[in-house]
Amino acid sequence: MVSTTTGKIAEFRRLLSRAHSVLVLTGAGISAESGVPTFRGAAGVWRQFRATDLATPSAFARSPSLVWEFYHYPHVALAEAEKRFEKEGKRFNVITQNVDGLHRRAGTQNLIEMHGNLFMVRRTSCEFIEENNGSPICEAFANRRSADENSPEIDEKDLPHCRKCKSLLRPHIVWFGEHIWNDVTEKVEKEIQLCDLFLVVGTSSVVYPAAGYASILAERNIPIAEINIETTPSTSIATYHFHGPAAQLIPQLLSVNIV
Ligand code: APR
């Protein structure tokens, strides 16, 4: 349920139209199942389509791109807003803590995936990074069940290896106990410096360093809009707390595909 007043949305849109460098921080909430528009009621209409008509095999056969886009709705809305901002000569950047690759797939160009990406692999020998959409990523995983505790360990030679240099591959993800890569930290710092409007979407704001960005910006009096179905530690310092699902609020706030 969205409990946001129309007046606040209009106020936010005025700020947005005056902003020159918008920065959006996203977390797991933007990809949550609940972020997909509801299937019934007013929120169940996307563009001119009913959600119940899109979530069907025949809709997918007719227009796979449309159906994919429907499931990427909040991500696509951000990608469309970026295009519009760029046309106006303004900056629009997304920093995500998510590793699901959905912003990239939706077409966001100015993207910092601060915790990495599930579909990227890295060589353990030389740190070379490349895309890998293989599923399963290698033959040895084909018949494995994750719940089976008694599965024997897979021999290292059967794990994913680089086809060129043969070194073992690892997911390009920042694991617990590892530091965020220096080049990523530098890019984030630059965006924080330039930002004049900050959106915090679908993150619990408890995991650092991302959880600290709102307070850095609040100290500089940069307006902050939080979009979440709950309150978080960022709520008290945010200029606006838009309470509701990202899939509904992002397009509404950014004036993208409003039905
Ligand atoms: N719309 C908006 N917000 C939502 C929605 C939705 N549809 N569904 C859930 N949320 C909100 C929840 O209320 C919660 O505040 O998304 C947030 C998800 O919080 P977390 O699960 O803690 O995810 P996140 O903040 O991205 O986690 C940060 O922690 O575990 C590490 O590295 C991992 O990147 C992750 C980091």
Side-chain angles (χ1 to χ4, degrees):
M1 174 59 84
V2 182
S3 65
T4 310
T5 58
T6 320
K8 290 284 179 204
I9 290 181
E11 204 179 293
F12 172 83
R13 283 175 172 170
R14 274 195 295 278
L15 270 182
L16 184 72
S17 68
R18 289 198 294 262
H20 288 96
S21 188
V22 176
L23 184 59
V24 185
L25 172 70
T26 68
I30 195 168
S31 299
E33 289 269 315
S34 53
V36 175
T38 57
F39 277 67
R40 283 157 207 94
V45 181
W46 176 65
R47 296 187 180 164
Q48 75 272 36
F49 306 101
R50 292 212 60 78
T52 40
D53 296 335
L54 280 174
T56 64
S58 58
F60 190 66
R62 214 167 34 245
S63 177
S65 110
L66 182 71
V67 173
W68 268 118
E69 208 180 335
F70 164 66
Y71 282 103
H72 291 165
Y73 195 25
H75 303 84
V76 169
L78 286 178
E80 287 190 7
E82 175 189 290
K83 277 188 219 143
R84 199 180 69 224
F85 261 67
E86 293 226 311
K87 262 191 210 142
E88 293 169 6
K90 298 174 176 180
R91 310 183 77 258
F92 191 98
N93 281 265
V94 175
I95 300 175
T96 188
Q97 300 167 92
N98 301 340
V99 296
D100 56 27
L102 289 178
H103 285 297
R104 200 185 275 239
R105 195 188 275 241
T108 287
Q109 303 284 325
N110 304 323
L111 175 67
I112 303 173
E113 291 171 315
M114 61 184 294
H115 293 167
N117 182 317
L118 259 177
F119 303 100
M120 304 296 283
V121 292
R122 192 162 86 224
R123 292 181 195 158
T124 46
S125 60
C126 68
E127 307 255 301
F128 182 79
I129 301 160
E130 65 188 346
E131 199 166 335
N132 188 322
N133 292 302
S135 179
I137 191 163
C138 66
E139 204 48 43
F141 288 107
N143 298 312
R144 306 275 288 197
R145 292 204 178 84
S146 66
D148 188 354
E149 287 168 22
N150 301 318
S151 301
E153 271 212 12
I154 297 171
D155 201 290
E156 191 175 309
K157 72 173 174 21
D158 297 325
L159 290 173
H161 281 78
C162 172
R163 260 174 264 136
K164 288 183 196 143
C165 77
K166 311 290 177 216
S167 79
L168 183 65
L169 296 173
R170 59 161 282 178
H172 184 53
I173 304 261
V174 180
W175 284 331
F176 290 104
E178 291 185 327
H179 294 292
I180 289 172
W181 306 294
N182 286 342
D183 59 327
V184 168
T185 304
E186 279 165 25
K187 282 186 201 154
V188 168
E189 280 169 0
K190 180 185 161 204
E191 291 314 322
I192 301 270
Q193 277 299 317
L194 292 171
C195 163
D196 60 4
L197 179 61
F198 188 49
L199 274 74
V200 193
V201 185
T203 173
S204 53
S205 292
V206 291
V207 178
Y208 283 80
Y213 301 157
S215 31
I216 296 171
L217 290 161
E219 270 175 32
R220 279 180 24 218
N221 293 321
I222 302 297
I224 299 168
E226 178 177 64
I227 298 163
N228 205 306
I229 54 170
E230 293 172 357
T231 56
T232 75
S234 291
T235 309
S236 56
I237 51 170
T239 323
Y240 305 98
H241 172 81
F242 295 110
H243 195 86
Q248 246 173 287
L249 283 166
I250 293 182
Q252 212 177 349
L253 291 165
L254 301 182
S255 311
V256 177
N257 291 337
I258 300 167
V259 284

